[in-house]
Amino acid sequence: MDKLPARLNARLARRLELLVLDVDGVLTDGSLWFGARGEQLKRFHVRDGHGIQLLAAAGVQVAVISGRRSAAVTARCRELGIAQLLQGAADKSCALDRLLKKLSLLESQVACIGDDTPDIPLFVRVGFAVAVRDAHPLAARAAHCRTTLPGGHGAVREVVDWILAMRSGQ
Amino acid sequence: MDKLPARLNARLARRLELLVLDVDGVLTDGSLWFGARGEQLKRFHVRDGHGIQLLAAAGVQVAVISGRRSAAVTARCRELGIAQLLQGAADKSCALDRLLKKLSLLESQVACIGDDTPDIPLFVRVGFAVAVRDAHPLAARAAHCRTTLPGGHGAVREVVDWILAMRSGQ
Amino acid sequence: MDKLPARLNARLARRLELLVLDVDGVLTDGSLWFGARGEQLKRFHVRDGHGIQLLAAAGVQVAVISGRRSAAVTARCRELGIAQLLQGAADKSCALDRLLKKLSLLESQVACIGDDTPDIPLFVRVGFAVAVRDAHPLAARAAHCRTTLPGGHGAVREVVDWILAMRSGQ
Amino acid sequence: MDKLPARLNARLARRLELLVLDVDGVLTDGSLWFGARGEQLKRFHVRDGHGIQLLAAAGVQVAVISGRRSAAVTARCRELGIAQLLQGAADKSCALDRLLKKLSLLESQVACIGDDTPDIPLFVRVGFAVAVRDAHPLAARAAHCRTTLPGGHGAVREVVDWILAMRSGQ
């Protein structure tokens, strides 16, 4: 919490109603474990999970939009109580449209964390767009700020800490 | 052993009867490997295991208190001879109370290693509270000191080395 | 895209028709996960996969030449639409000969990414030879340039970005 | 090959007949993947394997002495053609005695790579003792030199490169 991103003032933080997360490269470090039958494992991080539960407890919803499909993601989201899970989203901007309509929210009420160029259409729309530290250079440039931690190593928790600190007026 | 933490003098080290370990982020680097049926694997470190056996041989008990439940943790603790294993501990301070009562120990006889905010209620009670190098900033601040190694990469062994060096008057 | 390798001018980039990838150490970080029945898992990277799809969409073919055999590689290549997959290639130069003949291409139309000495016979033949950042020193010396990212962590994507930037005249 | 360890002159290198490897922390980075039924996976490195094959081709035998037992190690050694495999060795010095007797070798003809205090009894006996870069401080101190790469990330290959360079008079 030493240095909060300039973009995130208290007004923006209190306005946020939804945090949209990418999976591969954000909730994970981008690794895909393959066996003979295709992808078999994903590696998540315990401190990200704790952050997601803290944010939900503070009344901010969490959604996951992923370009891939993975039963491991379904299992992890179930454990964390993430009800809004959109997998196989070829066009993430369309997926966001569906989410906003379903939840009756505005783009400005949404924060988003991504790592690669398919996330840029989300970054340019939402109120607070964050790239993980090891994001693709183009995604990093399109975001409002970058985390200090890489994806899969607590980057999501870092953003949650920023938002909660700003909302509580710290 | 180049630089021992200021908090840990020989008197404190010799008074220690119990080392309490968190699992995710301490005995592991915080990674949770998920497959279709939920969490499937945890990654421990061989040099931590060796340290735990050295500490037990020196007469200091080792206990594990984890907020999650995992059969992998049960298997690892069985291999290492860790009899005091408390999983699914929503409130870690309550778990410590049960442990202290069962083992007839005082808080001041306990060292603890943690990585995140749920460990802080333990940190403020025990005689020697250590955060792993990559701990959450609030947990790091609440601990007496930090390891130089991150969780899951020998941080537990480092603390064991400190304690054994101090007890032997090195 | 801040600094493109000196070797890769627009003429060379536009001439490229094929990118040849090694697997272990290039598409992965060199890790081989073994269980009781031998190798069981390989770890690929999501941003490499995205890059391979971008390159294919730009009309450059992608081939994989590996000294080992792995069902995980077959599965990953199928997902990415990589049709040219040569596994168990003891002599990679022979494998390249077969590829060039099959696709009616010249060496100068080929780029190659490798990490170790068995890749050197390819490096000395192709138009653009790239070693991953953590390549064996001899392989690094034999290549035209090195990526800034290590194998399995987006090195392939980095090379794709170079090629696409040069082809589009950026 | 930029900087060879002072200990390893051409005479010593040419005298070496056997390289003894520890498993956890040397052929791996020390990670132990546990599931519900105990340890399930070990992660080896492709460039270490290549080095082991290069050394064997140059006429130097390779043996593995491990304190643990693992079917994954058996599988990996079979693939690499390592015939001398001693697992479950509580006392590594005894295991070395058996090896030397079996192969009719002297301690001075042996090189050894280790990472932790149980390897020290080997380090003090053999002709060339190497600790991996991330070895326990006491093991690092007892060795003749340290690799620049950590265990499981090519440290074994680095030592092989040293030995082969010195034997060939490079």
Side-chain angles (χ1 to χ4, degrees):
Chain A
M1 248 81 56
D2 300 316
K3 236 176 56 182
L4 287 164
R7 167 83 180 186
L8 189 68
N9 54 40
R11 202 166 133 256
L12 171 57
R14 288 189 187 123
R15 196 171 156 71
L16 293 177
E17 296 284 342
L18 177 68
L19 174 64
V20 173
L21 302 173
D22 179 26
V23 172
D24 297 295
V26 172
L27 280 171
T28 79
D29 69 353
S31 298
L32 306 172
W33 271 270
F34 269 64
R37 296 184 311 277
E39 199 185 347
Q40 301 199 336
L41 291 172
K42 280 198 194 293
R43 182 176 69 186
F44 299 98
H45 199 283
V46 68
R47 291 195 289 272
D48 282 342
H50 188 53
I52 287 169
Q53 293 175 320
L54 291 174
L55 196 67
V60 178
Q61 296 185 71
V62 177
V64 162
I65 299 180
S66 174
R68 298 175 63 86
R69 287 183 188 281
S70 154
V73 172
T74 309
R76 178 65 169 151
C77 285
R78 194 182 310 125
E79 184 183 304
L80 292 174
I82 298 178
Q84 309 301 333
L85 167 55
L86 290 84
Q87 298 196 72
D91 180 332
K92 295 199 173 186
S93 201
C94 284
L96 180 63
D97 285 333
R98 290 207 306 277
L99 257 183
L100 294 179
K101 196 169 171 192
K102 186 175 175 189
L103 303 175
S104 303
L105 293 175
L106 302 171
E107 293 172 348
S108 58
Q109 295 174 299
V110 176
C112 170
I113 315 179
D115 75 310
D116 203 350
T117 49
D119 300 313
I120 297 179
L122 299 186
F123 283 5
V124 298
R125 294 179 58 190
V126 300
F128 185 45
V130 184
V132 295
R133 174 180 149 187
D134 57 330
H136 188 279
L138 294 177
R141 216 167 298 161
H144 294 120
C145 68
R146 268 210 296 180
T147 60
T148 65
L149 293 168
H153 290 90
V156 171
R157 175 64 170 280
E158 194 178 348
V159 177
V160 167
D161 285 342
W162 291 343
I163 295 172
L164 293 182
M166 262 300 161
R167 285 166 76 94
S168 70
Q170 281 182 282
Chain B
M1 246 83 57
D2 299 316
K3 236 176 56 181
L4 287 164
R7 167 82 180 187
L8 189 68
N9 54 39
R11 200 165 136 259
L12 171 56
R14 287 189 187 124
R15 195 171 158 68
L16 292 177
E17 296 285 342
L18 177 68
L19 175 63
V20 173
L21 302 173
D22 179 26
V23 173
D24 298 293
V26 171
L27 281 170
T28 79
D29 70 354
S31 298
L32 306 172
W33 270 271
F34 269 64
R37 297 186 310 277
E39 199 185 348
Q40 302 199 336
L41 292 171
K42 280 199 193 293
R43 182 175 72 184
F44 299 98
H45 198 283
V46 68
R47 291 195 288 272
D48 282 342
H50 188 54
I52 287 169
Q53 292 174 321
L54 291 173
L55 196 67
V60 178
Q61 296 186 72
V62 177
V64 162
I65 299 180
S66 174
R68 298 175 62 87
R69 286 182 188 281
S70 153
V73 173
T74 308
R76 179 64 169 151
C77 286
R78 194 183 309 124
E79 184 184 302
L80 292 174
I82 298 178
Q84 309 301 332
L85 167 56
L86 290 84
Q87 298 196 72
D91 181 330
K92 294 197 173 188
S93 200
C94 284
L96 180 63
D97 285 334
R98 291 207 305 277
L99 257 184
L100 294 179
K101 195 170 172 192
K102 186 176 176 189
L103 303 175
S104 302
L105 293 175
L106 302 170
E107 292 172 349
S108 58
Q109 295 173 299
V110 177
C112 170
I113 315 179
D115 75 308
D116 203 351
T117 48
D119 300 312
I120 296 178
L122 299 187
F123 282 5
V124 298
R125 294 180 57 190
V126 300
F128 185 44
V130 184
V132 295
R133 174 180 148 188
D134 57 329
H136 188 278
L138 294 176
R141 212 167 301 162
H144 295 119
C145 67
R146 269 209 297 179
T147 60
T148 65
L149 293 169
H153 291 89
V156 171
R157 175 65 168 280
E158 193 177 349
V159 176
V160 168
D161 286 342
W162 291 343
I163 295 172
L164 294 181
M166 263 301 162
R167 284 167 77 95
S168 70
Q170 280 182 282
Chain C
M1 247 83 54
D2 300 316
K3 236 175 56 181
L4 286 163
R7 167 84 180 184
L8 188 68
N9 55 39
R11 201 165 135 257
L12 171 57
R14 289 190 187 123
R15 198 172 155 68
L16 292 176
E17 296 284 342
L18 178 67
L19 174 64
V20 173
L21 302 173
D22 178 26
V23 173
D24 297 295
V26 172
L27 280 171
T28 78
D29 70 352
S31 298
L32 306 172
W33 270 270
F34 270 64
R37 297 184 311 276
E39 198 185 349
Q40 301 199 335
L41 291 171
K42 280 200 194 292
R43 182 177 69 186
F44 299 98
H45 198 282
V46 69
R47 291 194 289 271
D48 283 342
H50 188 54
I52 287 169
Q53 293 174 320
L54 291 173
L55 196 67
V60 178
Q61 296 185 72
V62 176
V64 162
I65 300 181
S66 174
R68 299 175 61 88
R69 286 182 188 282
S70 153
V73 172
T74 309
R76 178 65 170 151
C77 286
R78 193 182 311 124
E79 183 182 303
L80 292 174
I82 298 178
Q84 309 301 333
L85 167 55
L86 290 84
Q87 297 196 73
D91 182 332
K92 295 197 173 188
S93 202
C94 285
L96 180 63
D97 285 334
R98 290 207 307 277
L99 256 184
L100 294 179
K101 196 170 173 191
K102 186 175 176 190
L103 303 175
S104 303
L105 292 175
L106 302 171
E107 292 171 350
S108 58
Q109 295 173 299
V110 177
C112 170
I113 315 179
D115 75 309
D116 203 351
T117 49
D119 300 312
I120 296 179
L122 299 186
F123 283 3
V124 298
R125 293 180 58 190
V126 300
F128 185 45
V130 184
V132 295
R133 173 180 150 187
D134 57 329
H136 189 277
L138 294 176
R141 216 167 298 161
H144 294 121
C145 68
R146 268 209 298 179
T147 59
T148 64
L149 293 169
H153 290 90
V156 172
R157 174 65 170 279
E158 194 177 348
V159 177
V160 168
D161 285 341
W162 292 343
I163 295 172
L164 293 182
M166 263 300 162
R167 284 167 77 94
S168 70
Q170 282 183 280
Chain D
M1 248 80 56
D2 300 316
K3 237 176 56 180
L4 286 164
R7 167 82 181 186
L8 188 68
N9 54 39
R11 202 165 134 257
L12 170 57
R14 288 190 186 121
R15 196 173 157 67
L16 292 177
E17 297 284 342
L18 177 68
L19 174 64
V20 173
L21 302 173
D22 178 26
V23 173
D24 297 294
V26 171
L27 281 170
T28 79
D29 70 353
S31 298
L32 306 172
W33 271 271
F34 269 65
R37 296 185 310 277
E39 198 185 348
Q40 302 199 335
L41 292 171
K42 280 200 193 291
R43 182 176 70 184
F44 299 98
H45 199 282
V46 69
R47 291 195 289 271
D48 282 342
H50 188 54
I52 287 169
Q53 293 174 321
L54 291 173
L55 196 67
V60 178
Q61 296 185 72
V62 177
V64 162
I65 299 180
S66 174
R68 298 175 62 87
R69 286 181 189 283
S70 153
V73 173
T74 309
R76 178 65 171 151
C77 285
R78 194 182 309 125
E79 183 183 302
L80 292 174
I82 298 177
Q84 309 301 333
L85 168 56
L86 290 85
Q87 298 196 73
D91 182 331
K92 295 198 174 188
S93 201
C94 284
L96 180 63
D97 285 333
R98 291 206 307 277
L99 257 183
L100 294 179
K101 196 171 173 190
K102 187 176 175 188
L103 303 175
S104 302
L105 292 174
L106 301 171
E107 292 170 351
S108 58
Q109 296 173 298
V110 177
C112 170
I113 315 179
D115 75 308
D116 203 351
T117 49
D119 300 312
I120 296 178
L122 299 186
F123 283 4
V124 298
R125 294 179 57 189
V126 300
F128 185 44
V130 184
V132 295
R133 173 179 150 189
D134 57 328
H136 188 277
L138 294 176
R141 214 167 298 162
H144 294 120
C145 68
R146 267 209 299 179
T147 60
T148 64
L149 293 169
H153 291 89
V156 172
R157 175 65 168 279
E158 194 177 350
V159 176
V160 168
D161 286 342
W162 292 342
I163 295 172
L164 293 181
M166 262 301 162
R167 284 167 76 95
S168 69
Q170 278 183 282

